[in-house]
Amino acid sequence: MKTYSAENSLEKLSVLPGWKFNNNALEKDFVFKNFREAMSQMIRIAFICESMDHHPEWTNVYNKLNVRLSTHDAGGVTDKDFLLASEIEKLH
């Protein structure tokens, strides 16, 4: 499975607003109106992740959500991560 570096991921990142390549993963911070909206978005994302059998590392503090995507068995960022990021973006 092909993995991406910060340099060769720039084109794919150009269509994913706010996503960045950070420490061998794709990462984005989201800010919502309140805790309820943050949790609702996490649940929507969870259904997508489960259907793709590809799960993020994420943290939530009140209205903030940090999502990190990496394909652990490939040792880095793959097309699966870009696809999941794209699906997450469709929720906005």
Side-chain angles (χ1 to χ4, degrees):
M1 189 177 303
K2 176 185 177 182
T3 59
Y4 291 85
S5 67
E7 293 78 28
N8 68 6
S9 67
L10 293 176
E11 184 177 337
K12 286 184 171 282
L13 282 171
S14 70
V15 297
L16 296 169
W19 289 89
K20 60 187 182 252
F21 194 97
N22 184 27
N23 198 22
N24 210 30
L26 300 182
E27 188 170 0
K28 183 171 180 176
D29 293 315
F30 297 88
V31 178
F32 301 95
K33 182 175 147 187
N34 53 40
F35 179 71
R36 178 180 285 190
E37 285 188 14
M39 289 304 298
S40 295
Q41 188 74 336
M42 288 179 77
I43 290 168
R44 286 190 284 276
I45 293 169
F47 281 106
I48 293 168
C49 295
E50 193 64 17
S51 72
M52 295 176 68
D53 193 28
H54 191 53
H55 305 90
E57 296 174 26
W58 55 8
T59 57
N60 164 249
V61 178
Y62 182 57
N63 68 332
K64 295 176 178 74
L65 172 62
N66 172 268
V67 179
R68 284 183 50 85
L69 305 176
S70 179
T71 306
H72 299 287
D73 58 346
V77 175
T78 68
D79 287 325
K80 288 175 73 171
D81 301 298
F82 287 104
L83 179 59
L84 180 51
S86 177
E87 291 299 314
I88 291 169
E89 284 304 305
K90 290 177 185 176
L91 294 174
H92 294 282

